[in-house]
Amino acid sequence: HTGSRQYRESMIRSLTPLQDQIRYNWHGVDIVDSSYSAKIVVEDAIDTAVHIVAETIFDQNKVHLTEKIFKPIVMRQPFVVFAGAGALAYLRRYGFQTFDSVWDESYDHEPDHQIRASKILKLISSLNNQSEEQFKNTIDQCHSIVRHNVDHFFSNQFEEILLKELHQNVTHSIDLQQQRQIEDPGGGLFSALDSVYKRNTQLEVNTAHSVSTNL
Protein backbone atom coordinates (compact mmCIF):
# COMPACT_ATOMS: atom_id res chain seq x y z
CA HIS A 1 0.00 0.00 0.00
CA THR A 2 1.07 3.59 -0.53
CA GLY A 3 0.36 6.94 1.03
CA SER A 4 -2.21 6.94 3.81
CA ARG A 5 -2.63 3.14 3.64
CA GLN A 6 0.91 2.18 4.58
CA TYR A 7 -0.18 1.63 8.16
CA ARG A 8 -1.92 -1.58 7.05
CA GLU A 9 1.39 -3.32 6.44
CA SER A 10 2.40 -2.62 10.03
CA MET A 11 -1.03 -3.72 11.26
CA ILE A 12 -0.81 -7.04 9.39
CA ARG A 13 2.68 -7.70 10.74
CA SER A 14 1.41 -7.06 14.27
CA LEU A 15 -1.52 -9.45 13.78
CA THR A 16 0.57 -12.23 12.21
CA PRO A 17 0.94 -14.15 15.52
CA LEU A 18 -2.87 -14.46 15.53
CA GLN A 19 -3.17 -15.66 11.94
CA ASP A 20 -4.72 -18.95 13.03
CA GLN A 21 -7.62 -16.99 14.53
CA ILE A 22 -7.91 -14.20 11.96
CA ARG A 23 -9.32 -14.76 8.48
CA TYR A 24 -7.04 -12.98 6.03
CA ASN A 25 -5.24 -13.73 2.78
CA TRP A 26 -2.01 -14.40 4.72
CA HIS A 27 -0.20 -16.29 1.97
CA GLY A 28 -1.54 -14.36 -1.03
CA VAL A 29 -3.27 -17.40 -2.52
CA ASP A 30 -6.56 -15.59 -3.20
CA ILE A 31 -7.14 -12.87 -5.77
CA VAL A 32 -8.33 -9.77 -3.91
CA ASP A 33 -9.40 -6.93 -6.19
CA SER A 34 -10.18 -3.33 -5.31
CA SER A 35 -13.91 -4.03 -4.99
CA TYR A 36 -13.41 -6.55 -2.19
CA SER A 37 -13.86 -3.88 0.48
CA ALA A 38 -17.51 -3.62 -0.52
CA LYS A 39 -18.24 -7.32 -1.10
CA ILE A 40 -20.28 -9.29 1.42
CA VAL A 41 -18.70 -12.74 1.72
CA VAL A 42 -21.13 -15.22 3.26
CA GLU A 43 -18.34 -17.51 4.47
CA ASP A 44 -16.73 -14.65 6.37
CA ALA A 45 -20.02 -13.75 8.00
CA ILE A 46 -20.57 -17.36 9.09
CA ASP A 47 -17.05 -18.31 10.15
CA THR A 48 -15.90 -15.11 11.91
CA ALA A 49 -17.23 -13.48 15.04
CA VAL A 50 -15.60 -10.02 15.13
CA HIS A 51 -14.83 -7.89 12.09
CA ILE A 52 -11.54 -5.97 12.00
CA VAL A 53 -12.05 -2.92 9.81
CA ALA A 54 -8.95 -1.35 8.24
CA GLU A 55 -10.23 2.04 7.11
CA THR A 56 -8.58 4.03 4.36
CA ILE A 57 -7.15 6.66 6.70
CA PHE A 58 -5.60 5.85 10.06
CA ASP A 59 -2.44 7.87 10.69
CA GLN A 60 -3.85 11.31 9.86
CA ASN A 61 -5.78 13.75 12.01
CA LYS A 62 -8.91 13.19 10.00
CA VAL A 63 -12.11 11.19 10.31
CA HIS A 64 -12.79 9.48 7.01
CA LEU A 65 -15.30 6.63 6.95
CA THR A 66 -15.93 4.63 3.79
CA GLU A 67 -17.93 1.58 2.69
CA LYS A 68 -15.58 -0.56 4.79
CA ILE A 69 -17.23 0.36 8.09
CA PHE A 70 -20.64 -0.71 6.78
CA LYS A 71 -19.54 -4.24 5.81
CA PRO A 72 -19.70 -5.64 9.37
CA ILE A 73 -22.96 -3.82 9.94
CA VAL A 74 -24.57 -5.51 6.93
CA MET A 75 -22.85 -8.80 7.85
CA ARG A 76 -24.36 -8.53 11.36
CA GLN A 77 -20.99 -8.56 13.09
CA PRO A 78 -19.45 -6.57 15.93
CA PHE A 79 -16.37 -4.65 14.83
CA VAL A 80 -13.07 -3.11 15.85
CA VAL A 81 -11.92 -0.22 13.66
CA PHE A 82 -8.48 0.94 12.59
CA ALA A 83 -9.35 4.54 11.70
CA GLY A 84 -8.63 8.11 12.69
CA ALA A 85 -9.42 9.23 16.22
CA GLY A 86 -13.13 9.98 16.64
CA ALA A 87 -14.32 7.58 13.95
CA LEU A 88 -16.61 5.65 16.31
CA ALA A 89 -18.02 8.87 17.76
CA TYR A 90 -18.69 10.08 14.21
CA LEU A 91 -20.46 6.81 13.38
CA ARG A 92 -22.67 7.17 16.45
CA ARG A 93 -23.77 10.62 15.25
CA TYR A 94 -25.39 8.80 12.31
CA GLY A 95 -27.49 6.80 14.76
CA PHE A 96 -25.38 3.65 14.94
CA GLN A 97 -24.20 2.01 18.14
CA THR A 98 -20.70 0.80 18.92
CA PHE A 99 -19.44 -1.66 21.52
CA ASP A 100 -18.16 0.49 24.37
CA SER A 101 -20.57 -1.29 26.73
CA VAL A 102 -18.93 -4.64 25.88
CA TRP A 103 -15.21 -3.86 25.50
CA ASP A 104 -12.75 -0.99 25.76
CA GLU A 105 -13.22 1.53 22.94
CA SER A 106 -11.02 4.20 24.51
CA TYR A 107 -8.75 3.84 21.47
CA ASP A 108 -11.21 6.04 19.59
CA HIS A 109 -10.27 8.99 21.82
CA GLU A 110 -6.51 8.58 21.37
CA PRO A 111 -4.99 11.24 19.06
CA ASP A 112 -1.54 9.61 18.94
CA HIS A 113 -1.59 7.16 16.04
CA GLN A 114 0.95 4.73 17.45
CA ILE A 115 -0.73 4.61 20.87
CA ARG A 116 -4.13 4.18 19.21
CA ALA A 117 -2.81 1.26 17.14
CA SER A 118 -1.30 -0.29 20.27
CA LYS A 119 -4.63 -0.01 22.10
CA ILE A 120 -6.52 -1.64 19.21
CA LEU A 121 -4.01 -4.49 19.01
CA LYS A 122 -4.25 -4.95 22.77
CA LEU A 123 -8.05 -5.18 22.51
CA ILE A 124 -7.86 -7.76 19.70
CA SER A 125 -5.35 -9.79 21.69
CA SER A 126 -7.52 -9.66 24.81
CA LEU A 127 -10.52 -10.94 22.85
CA ASN A 128 -8.41 -13.72 21.43
CA ASN A 129 -7.18 -14.72 24.89
CA GLN A 130 -10.65 -15.13 26.33
CA SER A 131 -11.81 -18.60 27.14
CA GLU A 132 -14.45 -20.10 24.90
CA GLU A 133 -17.13 -19.41 27.51
CA GLN A 134 -15.95 -15.83 28.07
CA PHE A 135 -15.85 -15.13 24.35
CA LYS A 136 -19.34 -16.55 23.84
CA ASN A 137 -20.61 -14.28 26.61
CA THR A 138 -18.88 -11.29 24.98
CA ILE A 139 -20.47 -11.98 21.59
CA ASP A 140 -23.87 -12.52 23.24
CA GLN A 141 -23.60 -9.01 24.70
CA CYS A 142 -23.06 -7.66 21.18
CA HIS A 143 -26.26 -9.12 19.70
CA SER A 144 -28.62 -6.25 20.55
CA ILE A 145 -26.14 -3.68 19.19
CA VAL A 146 -25.64 -5.68 15.99
CA ARG A 147 -29.41 -5.93 15.48
CA HIS A 148 -29.86 -2.21 16.04
CA ASN A 149 -27.14 -1.37 13.52
CA VAL A 150 -28.41 -3.53 10.69
CA ASP A 151 -31.99 -2.34 11.26
CA HIS A 152 -30.83 1.27 11.28
CA PHE A 153 -28.72 0.80 8.14
CA PHE A 154 -31.77 -0.31 6.14
CA SER A 155 -34.15 2.18 7.76
CA ASN A 156 -35.85 5.22 6.26
CA GLN A 157 -34.37 7.24 9.10
CA PHE A 158 -30.79 6.60 7.99
CA GLU A 159 -31.72 7.34 4.38
CA GLU A 160 -33.23 10.66 5.45
CA ILE A 161 -30.06 11.51 7.40
CA LEU A 162 -27.93 10.88 4.31
CA LEU A 163 -30.23 12.83 2.00
CA LYS A 164 -30.29 15.76 4.41
CA GLU A 165 -26.49 15.72 4.63
CA LEU A 166 -26.22 15.54 0.82
CA HIS A 167 -28.57 18.52 0.46
CA GLN A 168 -26.59 20.52 3.02
CA ASN A 169 -23.27 19.73 1.33
CA VAL A 170 -24.54 20.63 -2.15
CA THR A 171 -26.10 23.86 -0.85
CA HIS A 172 -22.87 24.76 0.92
CA SER A 173 -20.85 24.09 -2.25
CA ILE A 174 -23.17 26.30 -4.33
CA ASP A 175 -22.94 29.09 -1.73
CA LEU A 176 -19.13 28.90 -1.81
CA GLN A 177 -19.11 29.00 -5.60
CA GLN A 178 -21.43 32.00 -5.70
CA GLN A 179 -19.29 33.82 -3.14
CA ARG A 180 -16.19 33.09 -5.19
CA GLN A 181 -17.86 34.51 -8.29
CA ILE A 182 -18.58 37.74 -6.37
CA GLU A 183 -15.01 37.98 -5.09
CA ASP A 184 -13.44 36.88 -8.39
CA PRO A 185 -15.89 37.61 -11.23
CA GLY A 186 -13.25 36.96 -13.89
CA GLY A 187 -12.90 33.34 -12.98
CA GLY A 188 -9.82 31.14 -13.16
CA LEU A 189 -8.21 32.79 -16.22
CA PHE A 190 -8.22 36.28 -14.69
CA SER A 191 -6.94 34.86 -11.40
CA ALA A 192 -4.01 33.24 -13.20
CA LEU A 193 -3.14 36.45 -15.07
CA ASP A 194 -3.43 38.51 -11.89
CA SER A 195 -1.07 36.08 -10.15
CA VAL A 196 1.47 36.47 -12.98
CA TYR A 197 1.41 40.27 -12.84
CA LYS A 198 1.69 40.31 -9.04
CA ARG A 199 4.95 38.40 -9.41
CA ASN A 200 6.16 41.08 -11.88
CA THR A 201 6.51 38.45 -14.56
CA GLN A 202 6.62 39.78 -18.11
CA LEU A 203 4.33 38.13 -20.62
CA GLU A 204 5.17 38.10 -24.29
CA VAL A 205 2.32 39.33 -26.43
CA ASN A 206 1.80 37.23 -29.52
CA THR A 207 0.24 39.41 -32.22
CA ALA A 208 0.28 36.74 -34.91
CA HIS A 209 -3.02 35.23 -35.94
CA SER A 210 -3.13 31.64 -34.82
CA VAL A 211 -6.40 30.92 -36.57
CA SER A 212 -7.29 31.81 -40.14
CA THR A 213 -10.77 31.91 -41.51
CA ASN A 214 -11.55 30.93 -45.07
CA LEU A 215 -14.66 32.51 -46.50
Side-chain angles (χ1 to χ4, degrees):
H1 300 295
T2 59
S4 62
R5 307 187 188 194
Q6 287 180 338
Y7 83 90
R8 293 178 181 174
E9 294 181 1
S10 175
M11 178 196 73
I12 292 301
R13 286 195 298 269
S14 299
L15 291 173
T16 299
L18 304 177
Q19 62 180 286
D20 291 339
Q21 288 78 40
I22 295 177
R23 179 186 287 273
Y24 174 71
N25 187 28
W26 293 105
H27 305 292
V29 295
D30 299 323
I31 298 176
V32 180
D33 58 35
S34 59
S35 65
Y36 190 81
S37 62
K39 289 181 179 178
I40 305 300
V41 181
V42 175
E43 290 77 13
D44 288 349
I46 294 174
D47 297 340
T48 59
V50 178
H51 197 114
I52 300 174
V53 180
E55 263 296 355
T56 301
I57 292 179
F58 177 80
D59 50 2
Q60 297 182 32
N61 296 320
K62 179 181 181 180
V63 175
H64 180 77
L65 297 181
T66 66
E67 78 286 349
K68 301 174 187 65
I69 190 61
F70 296 110
K71 275 191 70 172
I73 289 175
V74 174
M75 292 167 67
R76 301 172 184 265
Q77 293 180 314
F79 48 83
V80 176
V81 184
F82 282 86
L88 294 180
Y90 186 71
L91 188 65
R92 288 193 291 269
R93 289 200 291 272
Y94 280 96
F96 294 97
Q97 296 177 3
T98 60
F99 302 90
D100 54 339
S101 62
V102 182
W103 54 60
D104 182 13
E105 287 187 340
S106 63
Y107 66 84
D108 191 54
H109 310 300
E110 178 53 60
D112 186 284
H113 311 311
Q114 292 184 343
I115 297 177
R116 187 166 67 258
S118 178
K119 285 188 171 185
I120 297 171
L121 293 169
K122 182 179 179 180
L123 169 59
I124 294 171
S125 180
S126 69
L127 291 171
N128 179 68
N129 290 333
Q130 289 183 347
S131 67
E132 185 174 341
E133 182 179 351
Q134 289 174 324
F135 189 72
K136 182 180 182 303
N137 181 59
T138 297
I139 298 303
D140 286 345
Q141 293 180 61
C142 296
H143 286 336
S144 62
I145 301 172
V146 168
R147 283 196 299 270
H148 166 84
N149 285 342
V150 71
D151 289 344
H152 183 62
F153 180 82
F154 290 107
S155 69
N156 292 332
Q157 180 185 7
F158 183 46
E159 182 180 10
E160 290 173 2
I161 291 173
L162 295 179
L163 289 174
K164 181 178 179 181
E165 182 178 67
L166 175 62
H167 180 266
Q168 290 174 338
N169 290 340
V170 171
T171 301
H172 180 62
S173 297
I174 293 173
D175 289 343
L176 287 177
Q177 181 64 26
Q178 290 177 339
Q179 183 62 34
R180 184 172 181 179
Q181 288 178 347
I182 294 173
E183 296 173 354
D184 181 21
L189 177 59
F190 283 7
S191 294
L193 290 173
D194 187 53
S195 175
V196 168
Y197 284 116
K198 283 181 179 178
R199 296 196 301 270
N200 295 319
T201 302
Q202 298 298 319
L203 292 178
E204 294 184 5
V205 179
N206 186 358
T207 59
H209 293 290
S210 59
V211 177
S212 62
T213 303
N214 295 319
L215 298 178

